[in-house]
Amino acid sequence: MDFGVVLQTNPPAARTVQLAQLAEAHGFSHVWTFDSHLLWEEPYVIHSAILNATKRVTVGPFVTNPATRDWTVTASVFATLNELYGNRTICGIGRGDSAVRVTNGKPVTMSELRESIHVIRELANSRPVEYKGATLQFPWSRGSELEVWVAAYGPLALKLTGEVGDGFILQLADVDIAAWMIKTVRDAAAAAGRDPDAISFCVAAPMYIGDDWHHMREQCRWFGGMVGNHVADIVAKYGEHGAVPDALTDYIAGRQGYDYNTHGKADNDHVDFVPDEIVDRFCILGTADEHIAKLEQLRALGVTQFAGYLQHDNKEETMRVYGETVIPALSAHVTAKA
């Protein structure tokens, strides 16, 4: 299992770069950042700084979208970064959430998402692509390599992920829900004639090392609110029961609005509806042993990467314990099984 960190690009940007360096030093393989250009600093500028300040980690957005960014510009960013730093980028993409909603926009359609994945991937892999009636290719790009991982919750998005995604990003660490969603993606891949084992499966959730459960929950309750935005869309489209497990949809019954100005922040004031049980299920909290136990369950489901959100007050210590205890334990287990 690989391990990543998910950072917000809050100023000062040098702090984000510093955290990325620390993640690399502790053995994390990926550094991801939020991508909402109005809420936080421009991530692609900071990605360049992170890549310049590190040697090994793979860097990308968690996640970008096809609505607020021109697809060809997005592809050019990745191809350029790859030319500069040697194929150390990755693209997480979804239909659009905070980046589009703060401008009163809407998430893109499934058809638009599918086409954008194809255009971005072909161009950023130094290949030609048909786009808007023209054949496009970067004449300056040679040997660029980019995987596109798709963030999804709903049935249609999960199906699309299995059909075209290089990876699947699931933003919650509930074991039962993860099992259902991973199976859905794998089944869609098989039905499309793809090898399900060729798809990477990334579970992302707040990770907090500690023993004060009240404090940890309060620091990570924002995550249930963020997930709730996506769940609310699913319920609006499909109804309360049947499209996805009730364990995912039941908790949003008390949801009343959402303020994107506190999106992804520990002091989010619109997440009182999120119960402790959901925080515990969706996040990974507690001692190193408790983290290892839950990660072992996720790994057994086929999860190939855990990406931990660090939007809390214990960033450095959590990364230190992961580097010294959690990551080696999961690596040793895999080695022993091999």
Side-chain angles (χ1 to χ4, degrees):
M1 180 184 283
D2 290 333
F3 290 84
V5 296
V6 186
L7 307 173
Q8 281 181 350
T9 53
N10 295 305
R15 168 69 166 154
T16 305
V17 176
Q18 179 190 50
L19 289 170
Q21 290 176 303
L22 191 58
E24 180 175 72
H26 284 309
F28 290 87
S29 62
H30 288 67
V31 173
W32 304 91
T33 72
F34 283 53
D35 176 13
S36 290
H37 58 289
L38 288 171
L39 298 178
W40 306 291
E41 293 183 312
E42 172 56 37
Y44 292 137
V45 175
I46 296 174
H47 289 175
S48 185
I50 291 172
L51 288 161
N52 187 60
T54 57
K55 297 179 180 179
R56 178 182 52 80
V57 288
T58 298
V59 179
F62 210 83
V63 297
T64 194
N65 72 87
T68 58
R69 298 187 182 276
D70 181 272
W71 309 347
T72 63
V73 174
T74 296
S76 181
V77 167
F78 289 114
T80 301
L81 291 175
N82 283 340
E83 190 277 323
L84 273 169
Y85 301 109
N87 289 332
R88 290 169 54 205
T89 65
I90 189 167
C91 179
I93 195 167
R95 294 177 59 214
D97 181 34
S98 58
V100 297
R101 296 185 196 272
V102 295
T103 57
N104 294 320
K106 294 181 179 180
V108 301
T109 66
M110 291 297 169
S111 177
E112 290 170 324
L113 178 59
R114 182 186 299 270
E115 185 182 4
S116 72
I117 291 168
H118 176 66
V119 170
I120 291 169
R121 182 163 50 204
E122 294 307 292
L123 287 175
N125 280 279
S126 303
R127 296 190 292 260
V129 68
E130 296 297 316
Y131 180 57
K132 293 185 177 180
T135 300
L136 305 179
Q137 186 170 13
F138 298 137
W140 46 265
S141 179
R142 298 287 187 277
S144 177
E145 297 177 4
L146 180 75
E147 289 192 356
V148 181
W149 293 12
V150 186
Y153 289 105
L156 292 179
L158 294 169
K159 180 175 181 291
L160 180 149
T161 302
E163 291 170 348
V164 303
D166 296 309
F168 167 44
I169 294 172
L170 172 58
Q171 290 164 298
L172 56 82
D174 182 282
V175 175
D176 292 336
I177 295 172
W180 180 85
M181 291 194 172
I182 289 171
K183 181 180 185 302
T184 301
V185 171
R186 292 177 65 89
D187 288 348
R194 303 181 68 201
D195 178 6
D197 293 332
I199 299 174
S200 298
F201 290 92
C202 175
V203 160
M207 58 179 181
Y208 196 118
I209 294 287
D211 55 15
D212 183 339
W213 279 87
H214 173 75
H215 182 74
M216 289 189 295
R217 287 167 177 150
E218 291 309 305
Q219 285 287 303
C220 298
R221 198 175 303 276
W222 63 266
F223 185 67
M226 186 184 81
V227 173
N229 294 326
H230 301 284
V231 175
D233 286 344
I234 295 170
V235 170
K237 183 176 179 65
Y238 297 100
E240 294 183 1
H241 304 289
V244 297
D246 289 347
L248 180 58
T249 59
D250 285 350
Y251 84 97
I252 69 163
R255 179 180 181 270
Q256 296 180 357
Y258 189 81
D259 183 0
Y260 276 93
N261 289 310
T262 54
H263 184 64
K265 296 183 182 296
D267 59 355
N268 190 309
D269 57 358
H270 287 66
V271 295
D272 291 344
F273 70 92
V274 181
D276 288 350
E277 178 193 3
I278 288 295
V279 180
D280 295 352
R281 289 171 60 179
F282 283 16
C283 304
I284 302 187
L285 314 175
T287 64
D289 286 343
E290 288 170 314
H291 283 243
I292 291 167
K294 190 166 186 178
L295 288 166
E296 289 282 17
Q297 290 181 284
L298 292 169
R299 190 194 63 79
L301 297 177
V303 174
T304 57
Q305 180 180 149
F306 171 65
Y309 286 93
L310 287 173
Q311 284 66 57
H312 55 62
D313 60 2
N314 199 33
K315 298 176 180 64
E316 285 87 350
E317 176 64 6
T318 293
M319 283 196 284
R320 181 191 69 79
V321 174
Y322 261 73
E324 294 183 2
T325 305
V326 179
I327 294 175
L330 270 293
S331 299
H333 182 90
V334 172
T335 301
K337 285 281 191 179

